[in-house]
Amino acid sequence: MIPINKKLENYYVRHQEMTGNLTGKLSHKFSHFRLIKTLKGEQQEIEEAEQGFRRLFHNFRKILLLSSFQSAMMNSLAMIFMLIIILVAGLNVQNGSMTISSLMAFVLYILQLLEPISELIKILDDLAEVNGVAKRTKQLLSKSDEQELCHVAPVQEGSISLKDVSFSYPGQKDPVLKNLWLDIPTGQNVAIIGPSGAGKTTLFSLLMKFYHHYNGSIRIGGQELRALSPMQVRQMICYVPQENTLFHGSLRDNLFYGKNKAVSEERLYEVLEELDLVEVVEQLPNGLDTVLSDSGHGLSEGQKQRFNIARALMSNGEIYLMDEVTANLDLVTEQTIVQAIDRLTVGKTRLTIAHRISTVQQADSILVLNEDGSLDDQGSHSELLMRNSQYQQYVSELKKVS
Ligand SMILES: Nc1ncnc2c1ncn2[C@@H]1O[C@H](COP(=O)(O)OP(=O)(O)OP(=O)(O)O)[C@@H](O)[C@H]1O
Ligand SMILES: [Mg+2]
């Protein structure tokens, strides 16, 4: 029974993995069904889902076969065992060492044993399933908690300094960021520019402690980032991501999400007012309580972007990281939003990945990243215009767009 049980356990582990992969893929694809329809990808999706379900079915068939074989074998063994006992008892009756009534009692007791034995067989199968699930759960639980990696130390301000920082993504040889040296004092407004894929978003990911295995040293507020807890870092950093994500749920739930739970209603309205969102909220059927299905379906991309900015600006942080935050806004709305962000983040350190000329012109300092993830130059708009040809080219491209 032990080797069969081991095999069953492996099939149950595979079953868990396959179900997880399939449901993850399906729910991701369902949330993008309009794109799938536009690209005429229905047939491809049907085929891929069919393949996934077929693999799941084959694996489950093996589970059924093995567990039926196991229970048939156990039942047969139990039957053989009982037959032998009845045979021995029958011989005893024949040679007079046992009475017929004792034999009858004996047979009745044995019949009572049948049910517990079949229960035992069922339990063996359940046990293999539980072991399979437990193995997968153990794998997940064995991932170390990022909290445990750090010692908490107090941070007073929002300066950022990088000393010879290089980073490559896990499993990749080539570095995405190469030998970066930076010094950003508290309260500075810094714009970051560079070609697509230069590592701008990656730099933000490092500052938010999503990756630990970089070379060199990163300091936030004078403290080594490695020594700070991720909770502490993310409490002091307010981040607006490149993609506009609103969760399924009401607009209110989205805005008061996570660390924003403690923010007051007054602060929310102050931010909404600044970002010109009060009217947008009033036009929604249930105001702030309107439920956004499909990650913000029913709002325009520009509105989603402004609500994303509002969510990041509601809580008070020392550092604001903004990844292309005005990408989906028209020029007029952009001006309003940029000024609002200026007012709401006054005195705080701000790093903005920029794609508009106004953002770079207004910045105290501009970082120019090369395609290979190294730092090309750092300086003010006028300084860079005088000395950096890549910057001059970038600015003339931006001027053409705006
Ligand atoms: N999670 C990841 N795993 C592996 N490689 C990644 C990952 N995220 C990004 N990269 C790679 O790292 C490089 C830098 O990506 P990053 O997103 O930082 O660029 P970016 O400068 O923000 O570009 P864009 O302006 O297009 O947003 C790219 O070559 C990208 O393919
Ligand atoms: Mg990016």
Side-chain angles (χ1 to χ4, degrees), residues 200-201 242 323-324 353:
K200 305 181 292 294
T201 304
Q242 193 166 9
D323 201 342
E324 317 234 6
I353 295 176

Side-chain angles (χ1 to χ4, degrees), residues 75-91:
N75 275 326
S76 316
L77 281 176
M79 278 300 171
I80 291 168
F81 174 67
M82 282 178 205
L83 280 177
I84 291 171
I85 290 177
I86 291 170
L87 199 72
V88 172
L91 285 175

